[in-house]
Amino acid sequence: MDVTVALDAMGGDYAPKETVSGAIEAVKEFGQISVILVGREADINNELSKYEDYPKDRIKVVNADEIIDMGEVPTLAIKEKKNSSLVVAMKLVRDGEADAIVSAGSTGAILVGGQLVVGRIKGVKRPALAPFLPTKKGMSLLIDCGANVDAKPENLVQFAQMGSIYYENVMGVKNPTVGIVNIGTEEEKGNKLVKETGPLLKECKDINFIGSVEARDIPSKPSNVLVCEAFVGNVILKLFEGLALTFLGVVKKALFKSTKTKVGALLIKKSLKEQLSLFDTKDQGGAPLLGLKGLVVKAHGNSKSFEIKTAIGQCITFKENDISGKISKVVGGNE
């Protein structure tokens, strides 16, 4: 199945150098991928000129002169900068010229643009960002991690439905478990949102709800899908990333402390690298914004070519499994 991805070539801390490099790596590794590089044509072509050995027929450039900066007000930026790389790329998805968009640009602009330009699936009240978290036993899907800081119980129910569909189709796990993030496992614990959402998740026939999940258990993968509103989800995600970097730094410092520890480090280097890679969020690419008519993937702002390539690769599974169509049938059918 051929998949066309519109890449916001000007989005991210290292654009367009790393975005162009990631696009080239993607078309070389994934045979069914074509990439439309959207942004300032001269800058993009300058980067492309540095490469020779890649399938040039699967790379296309679409000019967009404007760039949405990280500090801009998202709603105003989307409405006023219609010729920005982000908006033009999203229009390609809306108009059916691309199957997905990948951007490492402003999260706020991506969230607003996703809804205003690409559009929500009928029946979906709010889309949600859903990144994978690396855990001791594999991957857990965290939903929502940044789109809805003031969600309602009905929103969290839809997050659970969309997350379950995504996890089942991407990870190949039938009837994945769904838990709601809480300050305790007892039903009487939690804030008003969690207490009101719990009974609704229990009654939802579309998911395999297992109850509340405490934050300390998340690294051990107590549930395939972790449901929460975006404030909590974003704190969890950023804490995960910070702890991973800190832990890696502490381990490296300990291993290179003396000649004896350096010798030991060489002996366990391969095994240690394999184990630590399980907690590397870079391998996950980006977070899809679930609930839209087309696929929108948010990559980290500091993404390098590897993360961009991985985010582009995610789009293959999404299209092959018709994730948007399945969400529409389940969530849209409940409207």
Side-chain angles (χ1 to χ4, degrees), residues 85-135:
S85 55
L86 178 62
V87 173
V88 172
M90 285 188 167
K91 286 180 179 178
L92 293 174
V93 176
R94 180 197 65 189
D95 297 339
E97 296 180 47
D99 299 297
I101 171 181
V102 172
S103 176
S106 163
T107 301
I110 291 168
L111 298 177
V112 172
Q115 297 186 70
L116 295 182
V117 182
V118 178
R120 294 196 305 269
I121 292 171
K122 182 181 179 180
V124 174
K125 292 180 171 59
R126 293 189 183 183
L129 276 173
F132 277 109
L133 289 181
T135 71

Short mmCIF file of all heavy atoms in Angstrom, two decimals, residues 85-135:
data_model
loop_
_atom_site.label_atom_id
_atom_site.label_comp_id
_atom_site.label_asym_id
_atom_site.label_seq_id
_atom_site.Cartn_x
_atom_site.Cartn_y
_atom_site.Cartn_z
N SER A 85 4.21 26.54 6.29
CA SER A 85 4.50 25.14 5.95
C SER A 85 3.53 24.19 6.65
O SER A 85 3.11 23.19 6.06
CB SER A 85 5.94 24.81 6.34
OG SER A 85 6.20 25.10 7.71
N LEU A 86 3.14 24.52 7.88
CA LEU A 86 2.22 23.66 8.62
C LEU A 86 0.83 23.65 8.01
O LEU A 86 0.24 22.59 7.78
CB LEU A 86 2.15 24.10 10.09
CG LEU A 86 1.20 23.30 10.98
CD1 LEU A 86 1.63 21.85 11.06
CD2 LEU A 86 1.14 23.92 12.38
N VAL A 87 0.29 24.83 7.74
CA VAL A 87 -1.07 24.93 7.19
C VAL A 87 -1.15 24.33 5.79
O VAL A 87 -2.08 23.58 5.47
CB VAL A 87 -1.56 26.39 7.18
CG1 VAL A 87 -2.89 26.51 6.46
CG2 VAL A 87 -1.70 26.91 8.61
N VAL A 88 -0.18 24.62 4.95
CA VAL A 88 -0.17 24.08 3.59
C VAL A 88 -0.09 22.55 3.62
O VAL A 88 -0.78 21.87 2.86
CB VAL A 88 0.99 24.67 2.77
CG1 VAL A 88 1.12 23.97 1.42
CG2 VAL A 88 0.79 26.16 2.56
N ALA A 89 0.74 22.01 4.52
CA ALA A 89 0.86 20.55 4.64
C ALA A 89 -0.46 19.94 5.10
O ALA A 89 -0.87 18.88 4.62
CB ALA A 89 1.98 20.21 5.61
N MET A 90 -1.12 20.60 6.04
CA MET A 90 -2.41 20.09 6.53
C MET A 90 -3.48 20.14 5.44
O MET A 90 -4.34 19.25 5.36
CB MET A 90 -2.86 20.87 7.75
CG MET A 90 -2.09 20.51 9.01
SD MET A 90 -2.76 21.27 10.49
CE MET A 90 -1.88 20.34 11.77
N LYS A 91 -3.43 21.16 4.59
CA LYS A 91 -4.40 21.25 3.49
C LYS A 91 -4.21 20.10 2.50
O LYS A 91 -5.18 19.63 1.89
CB LYS A 91 -4.25 22.60 2.78
CG LYS A 91 -4.81 23.77 3.56
CD LYS A 91 -4.62 25.08 2.80
CE LYS A 91 -5.22 26.26 3.58
NZ LYS A 91 -4.99 27.56 2.87
N LEU A 92 -2.98 19.65 2.34
CA LEU A 92 -2.72 18.51 1.47
C LEU A 92 -3.42 17.25 1.99
O LEU A 92 -3.95 16.45 1.21
CB LEU A 92 -1.21 18.25 1.35
CG LEU A 92 -0.39 19.32 0.62
CD1 LEU A 92 1.10 19.00 0.73
CD2 LEU A 92 -0.81 19.43 -0.85
N VAL A 93 -3.46 17.11 3.33
CA VAL A 93 -4.16 15.98 3.94
C VAL A 93 -5.67 16.17 3.79
O VAL A 93 -6.40 15.25 3.41
CB VAL A 93 -3.79 15.84 5.43
CG1 VAL A 93 -4.59 14.72 6.09
CG2 VAL A 93 -2.30 15.56 5.58
N ARG A 94 -6.14 17.36 4.08
CA ARG A 94 -7.57 17.66 3.97
C ARG A 94 -8.09 17.41 2.56
O ARG A 94 -9.20 16.87 2.36
CB ARG A 94 -7.82 19.11 4.35
CG ARG A 94 -9.29 19.55 4.28
CD ARG A 94 -9.41 21.06 4.27
NE ARG A 94 -8.84 21.65 3.05
CZ ARG A 94 -8.66 22.95 2.87
NH1 ARG A 94 -8.97 23.81 3.83
NH2 ARG A 94 -8.14 23.41 1.73
N ASP A 95 -7.30 17.78 1.55
CA ASP A 95 -7.73 17.67 0.16
C ASP A 95 -7.43 16.31 -0.46
O ASP A 95 -7.66 16.11 -1.66
CB ASP A 95 -7.05 18.77 -0.67
CG ASP A 95 -7.46 20.17 -0.21
OD1 ASP A 95 -8.51 20.30 0.45
OD2 ASP A 95 -6.70 21.13 -0.49
N GLY A 96 -6.90 15.38 0.35
CA GLY A 96 -6.66 14.04 -0.15
C GLY A 96 -5.40 13.86 -0.96
O GLY A 96 -5.18 12.81 -1.57
N GLU A 97 -4.53 14.87 -0.99
CA GLU A 97 -3.28 14.76 -1.73
C GLU A 97 -2.19 14.07 -0.90
O GLU A 97 -1.14 13.70 -1.44
CB GLU A 97 -2.81 16.14 -2.18
CG GLU A 97 -3.76 16.81 -3.16
CD GLU A 97 -3.28 18.19 -3.59
OE1 GLU A 97 -2.09 18.31 -3.94
OE2 GLU A 97 -4.10 19.13 -3.56
N ALA A 98 -2.41 13.97 0.40
CA ALA A 98 -1.49 13.26 1.29
C ALA A 98 -2.32 12.47 2.30
O ALA A 98 -3.44 12.86 2.64
CB ALA A 98 -0.57 14.23 2.02
N ASP A 99 -1.76 11.36 2.76
CA ASP A 99 -2.47 10.52 3.72
C ASP A 99 -2.24 10.99 5.15
O ASP A 99 -3.04 10.69 6.05
CB ASP A 99 -1.98 9.07 3.60
CG ASP A 99 -2.26 8.48 2.24
OD1 ASP A 99 -3.44 8.37 1.88
OD2 ASP A 99 -1.29 8.15 1.53
N ALA A 100 -1.15 11.71 5.38
CA ALA A 100 -0.78 12.12 6.74
C ALA A 100 0.14 13.32 6.70
O ALA A 100 0.75 13.62 5.66
CB ALA A 100 -0.10 10.96 7.46
N ILE A 101 0.22 13.99 7.82
CA ILE A 101 1.20 15.06 8.00
C ILE A 101 2.03 14.76 9.23
O ILE A 101 1.50 14.31 10.26
CB ILE A 101 0.54 16.45 8.15
CG1 ILE A 101 1.61 17.49 8.57
CG2 ILE A 101 -0.61 16.43 9.13
CD1 ILE A 101 1.12 18.90 8.79
N VAL A 102 3.32 15.02 9.12
CA VAL A 102 4.24 14.91 10.25
C VAL A 102 4.86 16.29 10.47
O VAL A 102 5.32 16.92 9.53
CB VAL A 102 5.35 13.87 10.00
CG1 VAL A 102 6.41 13.93 11.11
CG2 VAL A 102 4.77 12.47 9.91
N SER A 103 4.85 16.74 11.73
CA SER A 103 5.45 18.04 12.04
C SER A 103 6.11 18.01 13.41
O SER A 103 5.58 17.43 14.35
CB SER A 103 4.39 19.14 12.02
OG SER A 103 4.95 20.38 12.41
N ALA A 104 7.26 18.65 13.50
CA ALA A 104 7.96 18.82 14.78
C ALA A 104 7.82 20.26 15.25
O ALA A 104 8.56 20.72 16.11
CB ALA A 104 9.44 18.45 14.63
N GLY A 105 6.85 20.97 14.68
CA GLY A 105 6.64 22.37 15.01
C GLY A 105 5.83 22.59 16.27
O GLY A 105 5.71 21.70 17.11
N SER A 106 5.25 23.78 16.38
CA SER A 106 4.49 24.18 17.55
C SER A 106 3.34 23.22 17.86
O SER A 106 2.47 22.98 17.02
CB SER A 106 3.91 25.58 17.32
OG SER A 106 2.87 25.87 18.23
N THR A 107 3.35 22.68 19.08
CA THR A 107 2.29 21.74 19.47
C THR A 107 0.92 22.41 19.42
O THR A 107 -0.05 21.84 18.89
CB THR A 107 2.54 21.20 20.90
OG1 THR A 107 3.80 20.54 20.94
CG2 THR A 107 1.44 20.21 21.30
N GLY A 108 0.84 23.63 19.95
CA GLY A 108 -0.43 24.34 19.95
C GLY A 108 -0.97 24.56 18.56
O GLY A 108 -2.16 24.36 18.30
N ALA A 109 -0.10 24.96 17.63
CA ALA A 109 -0.53 25.20 16.25
C ALA A 109 -0.96 23.90 15.58
O ALA A 109 -1.91 23.88 14.79
CB ALA A 109 0.61 25.84 15.46
N ILE A 110 -0.28 22.82 15.89
CA ILE A 110 -0.65 21.51 15.32
C ILE A 110 -2.02 21.08 15.83
O ILE A 110 -2.85 20.57 15.05
CB ILE A 110 0.42 20.46 15.67
CG1 ILE A 110 1.72 20.76 14.92
CG2 ILE A 110 -0.07 19.04 15.32
CD1 ILE A 110 2.91 19.96 15.38
N LEU A 111 -2.28 21.29 17.11
CA LEU A 111 -3.58 20.92 17.68
C LEU A 111 -4.70 21.75 17.07
O LEU A 111 -5.76 21.22 16.70
CB LEU A 111 -3.55 21.10 19.20
CG LEU A 111 -2.56 20.24 19.98
CD1 LEU A 111 -2.59 20.60 21.46
CD2 LEU A 111 -2.85 18.76 19.79
N VAL A 112 -4.49 23.04 16.98
CA VAL A 112 -5.51 23.94 16.40
C VAL A 112 -5.68 23.65 14.91
O VAL A 112 -6.81 23.53 14.41
CB VAL A 112 -5.13 25.41 16.62
CG1 VAL A 112 -6.09 26.33 15.86
CG2 VAL A 112 -5.15 25.75 18.11
N GLY A 113 -4.58 23.55 14.19
CA GLY A 113 -4.65 23.28 12.76
C GLY A 113 -5.29 21.95 12.45
O GLY A 113 -6.04 21.82 11.47
N GLY A 114 -5.01 20.95 13.28
CA GLY A 114 -5.61 19.64 13.07
C GLY A 114 -7.13 19.71 13.06
O GLY A 114 -7.80 19.09 12.23
N GLN A 115 -7.67 20.49 13.98
CA GLN A 115 -9.12 20.59 14.09
C GLN A 115 -9.72 21.53 13.03
O GLN A 115 -10.75 21.22 12.44
CB GLN A 115 -9.51 21.07 15.49
CG GLN A 115 -9.10 20.09 16.58
CD GLN A 115 -9.62 20.50 17.95
OE1 GLN A 115 -10.81 20.45 18.22
NE2 GLN A 115 -8.72 20.91 18.83
N LEU A 116 -9.06 22.69 12.81
CA LEU A 116 -9.61 23.67 11.89
C LEU A 116 -9.37 23.34 10.42
O LEU A 116 -10.21 23.63 9.56
CB LEU A 116 -9.03 25.06 12.19
CG LEU A 116 -9.38 25.68 13.55
CD1 LEU A 116 -8.76 27.08 13.66
CD2 LEU A 116 -10.90 25.77 13.73
N VAL A 117 -8.23 22.74 10.12
CA VAL A 117 -7.89 22.47 8.72
C VAL A 117 -8.22 21.03 8.33
O VAL A 117 -8.97 20.79 7.38
CB VAL A 117 -6.39 22.76 8.46
CG1 VAL A 117 -6.05 22.50 6.99
CG2 VAL A 117 -6.04 24.19 8.83
N VAL A 118 -7.68 20.06 9.05
CA VAL A 118 -7.94 18.65 8.73
C VAL A 118 -9.37 18.27 9.11
O VAL A 118 -10.09 17.61 8.36
CB VAL A 118 -6.93 17.73 9.43
CG1 VAL A 118 -7.23 16.26 9.13
CG2 VAL A 118 -5.51 18.07 8.99
N GLY A 119 -9.81 18.69 10.29
CA GLY A 119 -11.18 18.45 10.73
C GLY A 119 -11.35 17.20 11.58
O GLY A 119 -10.65 16.21 11.40
N ARG A 120 -12.28 17.27 12.55
CA ARG A 120 -12.57 16.14 13.42
C ARG A 120 -13.47 15.12 12.72
O ARG A 120 -14.30 15.46 11.89
CB ARG A 120 -13.26 16.59 14.70
CG ARG A 120 -12.42 17.43 15.61
CD ARG A 120 -13.03 17.52 17.01
NE ARG A 120 -14.41 17.98 17.00
CZ ARG A 120 -14.78 19.24 17.10
NH1 ARG A 120 -13.86 20.18 17.19
NH2 ARG A 120 -16.05 19.57 17.08
N ILE A 121 -13.31 13.87 13.12
CA ILE A 121 -14.23 12.81 12.70
C ILE A 121 -15.59 13.10 13.32
O ILE A 121 -15.68 13.52 14.48
CB ILE A 121 -13.73 11.43 13.18
CG1 ILE A 121 -12.45 11.05 12.43
CG2 ILE A 121 -14.79 10.36 12.98
CD1 ILE A 121 -11.76 9.82 12.97
N LYS A 122 -16.66 12.90 12.57
CA LYS A 122 -18.00 13.12 13.09
C LYS A 122 -18.22 12.27 14.34
O LYS A 122 -18.00 11.07 14.34
CB LYS A 122 -19.04 12.76 12.03
CG LYS A 122 -20.48 13.02 12.48
CD LYS A 122 -21.47 12.63 11.40
CE LYS A 122 -22.90 12.88 11.89
NZ LYS A 122 -23.90 12.48 10.83
N GLY A 123 -18.67 12.92 15.41
CA GLY A 123 -18.90 12.21 16.66
C GLY A 123 -17.79 12.39 17.67
O GLY A 123 -18.01 12.24 18.87
N VAL A 124 -16.58 12.71 17.21
CA VAL A 124 -15.45 12.94 18.12
C VAL A 124 -15.54 14.37 18.64
O VAL A 124 -15.47 15.33 17.88
CB VAL A 124 -14.10 12.72 17.41
CG1 VAL A 124 -12.95 13.12 18.34
CG2 VAL A 124 -13.96 11.27 16.99
N LYS A 125 -15.70 14.49 19.95
CA LYS A 125 -15.83 15.82 20.54
C LYS A 125 -14.49 16.54 20.66
O LYS A 125 -14.39 17.74 20.46
CB LYS A 125 -16.52 15.72 21.90
CG LYS A 125 -17.99 15.29 21.79
CD LYS A 125 -18.64 15.19 23.14
CE LYS A 125 -20.15 14.98 22.99
NZ LYS A 125 -20.49 13.76 22.25
N ARG A 126 -13.45 15.78 21.00
CA ARG A 126 -12.11 16.37 21.11
C ARG A 126 -11.06 15.34 20.68
O ARG A 126 -11.08 14.20 21.16
CB ARG A 126 -11.81 16.80 22.55
CG ARG A 126 -12.67 17.95 23.05
CD ARG A 126 -12.15 18.45 24.38
NE ARG A 126 -12.98 19.50 24.96
CZ ARG A 126 -12.70 20.14 26.09
NH1 ARG A 126 -11.60 19.82 26.76
NH2 ARG A 126 -13.50 21.09 26.54
N PRO A 127 -10.15 15.71 19.80
CA PRO A 127 -9.05 14.82 19.45
C PRO A 127 -8.06 14.74 20.61
O PRO A 127 -8.08 15.60 21.50
CB PRO A 127 -8.42 15.47 18.22
CG PRO A 127 -8.74 16.93 18.39
CD PRO A 127 -10.09 16.99 19.06
N ALA A 128 -7.20 13.73 20.61
CA ALA A 128 -6.26 13.55 21.72
C ALA A 128 -4.91 13.09 21.22
O ALA A 128 -4.81 12.28 20.29
CB ALA A 128 -6.82 12.53 22.71
N LEU A 129 -3.85 13.61 21.83
CA LEU A 129 -2.49 13.18 21.53
C LEU A 129 -2.20 11.87 22.26
O LEU A 129 -2.46 11.76 23.45
CB LEU A 129 -1.47 14.24 21.94
CG LEU A 129 -1.22 15.38 20.96
CD1 LEU A 129 -0.33 16.43 21.61
CD2 LEU A 129 -0.58 14.88 19.68
N ALA A 130 -1.63 10.92 21.53
CA ALA A 130 -1.45 9.59 22.13
C ALA A 130 -0.06 9.01 21.84
O ALA A 130 0.12 8.25 20.88
CB ALA A 130 -2.53 8.64 21.61
N PRO A 131 0.94 9.36 22.65
CA PRO A 131 2.28 8.80 22.47
C PRO A 131 2.41 7.44 23.16
O PRO A 131 1.66 7.12 24.09
CB PRO A 131 3.17 9.82 23.17
CG PRO A 131 2.31 10.32 24.29
CD PRO A 131 0.91 10.35 23.74
N PHE A 132 3.35 6.64 22.71
CA PHE A 132 3.68 5.39 23.38
C PHE A 132 4.73 5.66 24.45
O PHE A 132 5.67 6.42 24.23
CB PHE A 132 4.23 4.36 22.39
CG PHE A 132 3.16 3.61 21.64
CD1 PHE A 132 2.95 3.82 20.30
CD2 PHE A 132 2.35 2.69 22.30
CE1 PHE A 132 1.97 3.14 19.60
CE2 PHE A 132 1.37 1.99 21.62
CZ PHE A 132 1.17 2.22 20.27
N LEU A 133 4.55 5.05 25.60
CA LEU A 133 5.54 5.12 26.68
C LEU A 133 6.27 3.79 26.77
O LEU A 133 5.65 2.73 26.89
CB LEU A 133 4.85 5.38 28.02
CG LEU A 133 4.24 6.75 28.29
CD1 LEU A 133 3.66 6.77 29.70
CD2 LEU A 133 5.28 7.86 28.15
N PRO A 134 7.61 3.80 26.73
CA PRO A 134 8.37 2.56 26.90
C PRO A 134 8.32 2.12 28.36
O PRO A 134 8.54 2.93 29.27
CB PRO A 134 9.79 2.94 26.48
CG PRO A 134 9.85 4.42 26.72
CD PRO A 134 8.47 4.96 26.48
N THR A 135 7.99 0.86 28.61
CA THR A 135 7.91 0.34 29.97
C THR A 135 8.68 -0.98 30.07
O THR A 135 9.20 -1.49 29.08
CB THR A 135 6.45 0.08 30.38
OG1 THR A 135 5.95 -1.05 29.66
CG2 THR A 135 5.57 1.29 30.10
#
